[in-house]
Amino acid sequence: MPPSSSPPASAAIPANHPVEILRFNTCGSVDDGKSTLIGRLLYDSKSLMEDQIETLERSADITGGGQINLANLTDGLRAEREQGITIDVAYRYFATPRRKFIVADTPGHLQYTRNMVTGASSSNLAVVLVDARLGVIEQSRRHTYLTSLLRIPHLVIAVNKLDLVGWSEERFLEIRDAFESFLPLLDIKDVKFIPLSALNGDNVVDSSKHTPWYNGPNLLAHLETVHIGSDWNLHGFRFPVQWVNRPNNPRNASLHDFRGLSGQIAGGIVKVGQKVMILPSGLKSRVKEIWTLGGSLPEAFCPQSVTLVLEDDMDVSRGDQIVGLDLLPGMSTDLHAQVCWMNPRPLQRGRNYYLKHTTQTLQAIVTSLENRIDIHTFEPQPDPAELGMNDIGEIRIKTAKPVVYDGYGTNRLTGSFILIEQGTNQTVAAGMLMPPQEPVRPEYNDFAI
Amino acid sequence: MNIYHLDHLQYLETEAIHIIREVAAEFERPALMFSGGKDSICLLRLAEKAFRPADIPTPFLNVDTGHHFPELNTFRDRRAAELGGKLIIRRVEDAIRNGIAIPNPGEISRNKLQIPTLLAAIEEFRFDCCIGGARRDEEKARAKERFFSFRDAFGQWDPKNQRPEIWNLYNGRINPGEHMRVFPLSNWTEMDVWEYIRREKLEVPTIYFSHRRTCVRRQDQWLPVNDLIPPKPGERVRELVVRVRTIGDIISTGMVESPADTVDDIIAEISAARVTERGSRADDKSSEAAMEDRKKQGYF
């Protein structure tokens, strides 16, 4: 390979440099062509470099009978290339002049729920692939259900391998109708159906001449333009305290009494002078300063990482939550949640786990299993004996200390938790909290102000 | 776009600060890997943002192969001192002398010898977490790694059995003897790193910028001429205007012909580049799974 030489002037930085990140994940069943689709996106958007193409070509000679295998771009582990499958979530990065993209390629077979939840939990958008020959199968329903459960704001149904059904509009509409028969049961606001062939690149980056009956955007055009500005929660200030900032031997004498509360804003906006409440104690104070390395800010918003200084010196530590008074969260030791179970050892009533919610980790016990979702019908089946690997269901949990939370539908950061198995320290469940019955009613009133 | 909106660098920054603070809060004895390279320079700035006005609570750790570019080590030592941090250096040279690292006869590269040296340092200081500047876009095996990457008592990474990582809830629980490697820059690309360096006006070692250097042509690359790999008869030796795009050991880092002598020039060069950053690293080219194999043994 020649050393890279100085760039031609024509290829300089695009005039409108990307300023926004869109995170998306691809999911589907084995052989639906997820990795091929990502490979195609990278290849056709010219995001691949010569040495990556060279590596692809080198492996094509060995395994692919001479044809470049785009899936080899994301299948990074030796076992994956040997078996031609994707084992774990792979992340890819590319940019167009409009946006930067973080792609999570989530495999569709073994441990599919675990992988999809890992890849999709922070996505703005999910791409569910469907093989046009097979239509809607169990995995399509499962992935669509998980997209809804995880409250991913945007969904793309990519009807792939349309070349193998003769670019049939009828087949495309059949599949769309099949999805639309169950989409109303789910909580997904924005759905787009796109007919494509990842292998040949039709409607991925370049619009296809084989689908004159389709007037919508190709996949990349949609990814570049879908509105994601309002995907973060800006209502109801939530600040889980992560770390208490106390300079030990400050060279600057004015910092001698500095006591900052560091964390990432998990919801809403905070302003200097704003009245806030600390939970679970219920004490109130005002924000004196919003400290950052670059200087103090008049206000800050989700998901910024800042350090708050309060007007009153009070007992606040990691795991406490500072909240705005306008929209109060719930607070309880009895939690009701939907969980995705991700471990071969099943979830049973009476088991103890660590529960990590925002910045606190608590002892927790599963007090009841309310239901298990039948993935074929999306119907809850009451009182299951256990939840097995990849199962989704509703449970009740008792925690050793109160948890300050919102419903997951309102706030993905304060409405989520994980369960950790004691001993092995494995993460065994992803939990999404049901909305609180009532907002917190603090025992302290305005004494602190 | 409303005013309550983060651009891509601000988004990556807040994600990384959150992760670094989680480490400080959840681990007893964390260390921050600092080589003086561009990624770890960003990491240090993020640590400042996470912890100031308090001191950065972690020591800085570097494994010195003895094959580092001298410019890099000078920069590393000075930056660590400026930040008031404790810099711990453990040398492959010493590890070889103590029998901790055993060189392959005939092999000059000390790349693999970093692994036992690092694991010995982790054991010596009982570090339970090492924060590193690795990025997922660097390499295919890294593309699969979590932010919190669990290592067993042998320091091994098990790619088939990684902990699910969901929302911003990182599971840092380990048993004695095990440790965690944490990569706050996982989602950053090479371009993001340089844009961040520009935005934050961060100083970087001079070898990233264009300079004159005597190079030898070997394995389709221009390698810097030095005592460790003297040019052999018949090899092409030239004085060129070059810079480094990624810094490895001095015996394996390809020099890139480039006139770029400002951060703006570098950004313009990367946006037009047609090879990846690691295309100039001989250590990754030995096989398709070179990085995966080293990581399984405990490499970063």
Side-chain angles (χ1 to χ4, degrees), chain A residues 323-370:
Chain A
V323 303
L325 300 185
D326 48 345
L327 283 167
L328 289 171
M331 183 167 91
S332 180
T333 54
D334 291 300
L335 303 175
H336 183 196
Q338 290 176 299
V339 293
C340 300
W341 191 253
M342 306 184 288
N343 198 264
R345 263 184 299 283
L347 170 69
Q348 288 164 340
R349 197 164 66 84
R351 286 267 172 90
N352 279 297
Y353 299 94
Y354 295 116
L355 181 147
K356 183 166 185 183
H357 171 264
T358 62
T359 56
Q360 66 177 341
T361 305
L362 304 160
Q363 293 268 3
I365 183 165
V366 175
T367 50
S368 76
L369 274 61
E370 306 278 288

Side-chain angles (χ1 to χ4, degrees), chain A residues 237-265:
Chain A
F237 174 58
R238 300 287 183 267
F239 187 77
V241 174
Q242 205 181 359
W243 191 72
V244 179
N245 189 319
R246 272 185 313 165
N248 273 333
N249 297 299
R251 273 156 278 183
N252 181 345
S254 69
L255 291 175
H256 205 80
D257 296 321
F258 187 90
R259 191 167 189 277
L261 305 165
S262 299
Q264 183 174 31
I265 300 173

Side-chain angles (χ1 to χ4, degrees), chain B residues 43-241:
Chain B
L43 204 55
L44 272 198
R45 168 50 55 102
L46 292 162
E48 283 188 275
K49 294 208 176 200
F51 301 127
R52 295 295 188 216
D55 291 336
I56 297 174
T58 62
F60 307 138
L61 174 64
N62 184 233
V63 173
D64 195 331
T65 58
H67 293 177
H68 284 182
F69 283 85
E71 298 93 329
L72 193 70
N73 282 0
T74 311
F75 180 87
R76 172 198 70 192
D77 297 348
R78 179 165 59 77
R79 254 335 257 150
E82 282 166 3
L83 286 166
K86 182 187 174 196
L87 176 64
I88 298 169
I89 296 166
R90 283 297 171 269
R91 296 173 208 283
V92 170
E93 200 75 53
D94 297 331
I96 293 173
R97 195 175 315 119
N98 300 333
I100 291 165
I102 298 162
N104 208 344
E107 188 172 9
I108 310 169
S109 168
R110 289 186 169 167
N111 196 294
K112 283 185 206 137
L113 302 177
Q114 290 179 83
I115 300 169
T117 315
L118 172 64
L119 294 177
I122 288 170
E123 203 175 311
E124 178 186 353
F125 293 96
R126 290 185 289 121
F127 290 133
D128 50 6
C129 178
C130 292
I131 306 173
R135 311 189 323 264
R136 287 176 180 149
D137 86 319
E138 282 178 90
E139 206 281 330
K140 288 202 288 192
R142 282 193 168 152
K144 299 254 157 175
E145 196 164 12
R146 305 281 196 253
F147 281 100
F148 275 52
S149 182
F150 173 79
R151 301 303 164 104
D152 65 16
F154 298 94
Q156 298 179 106
W157 178 55
D158 180 1
K160 282 189 177 179
N161 193 25
Q162 300 193 79
R163 292 178 181 176
E165 211 159 70
I166 315 158
W167 302 292
N168 62 352
L169 297 171
Y170 303 101
N171 173 1
R173 299 192 76 90
I174 52 169
N175 291 320
E178 301 166 343
H179 72 277
M180 199 67 81
R181 305 276 174 92
V182 172
F183 306 108
L185 305 184
S186 290
N187 279 333
W188 296 45
T189 62
E190 181 188 18
M191 180 63 99
D192 297 328
V193 165
W194 282 108
E195 287 183 337
Y196 194 69
I197 286 169
R198 173 165 69 183
R199 181 177 290 183
E200 295 290 319
K201 301 185 174 62
L202 302 178
E203 189 190 345
V204 297
T206 52
I207 46 174
Y208 281 114
F209 299 111
S210 180
H211 58 281
R212 297 194 82 81
R213 192 182 281 267
T214 311
C215 298
V216 55
R217 190 76 183 158
R218 199 173 283 174
Q219 291 167 342
D220 285 337
Q221 297 192 83
W222 287 110
L223 297 178
V225 167
N226 60 76
D227 295 345
L228 295 162
I229 45 163
K232 294 172 206 147
E235 280 187 320
R236 270 202 294 162
V237 177
R238 288 251 192 90
E239 190 176 272
L240 300 170
V241 174

Side-chain angles (χ1 to χ4, degrees), chain A residues 17 19 23 48 50-51 78 80 88 91 93 100 121 242 245 299 303 305 318 356 408 425 427, chain B residues 4 7-8 11 14 18 22 26 51-52 143-144 167 170-171 187 192 195 274 276 285 292-293:
Chain A
H17 198 69
V19 289
R23 300 184 66 134
L48 287 184
E50 282 168 10
D51 54 325
R78 192 195 292 272
E80 293 178 322
D88 208 324
Y91 295 89
Y93 304 84
K100 290 205 158 220
S121 66
Q242 205 181 359
N245 189 319
E299 61 178 351
S305 286
R318 176 172 167 88
K356 183 166 185 183
Y408 182 78
N425 294 324
T427 305
Chain B
Y4 299 116
D7 71 15
H8 71 282
Y11 171 81
T14 186
H18 176 257
E22 279 300 281
E26 295 218 328
F51 301 127
R52 295 295 188 216
K144 299 254 157 175
W167 302 292
Y170 303 101
N171 173 1
N187 279 333
D192 297 328
E195 287 183 337
R274 293 306 307 149
T276 62
K285 285 195 164 175
E292 179 185 346
D293 292 344

Side-chain angles (χ1 to χ4, degrees), chain A residues 192-195 203-204 207 214-223 225:
Chain A
K192 188 113 213 149
F193 292 85
I194 302 179
N203 286 336
V204 179
S207 295
Y214 172 72
N215 299 321
N218 63 52
L219 178 60
L220 184 65
H222 183 60
L223 294 173
T225 52

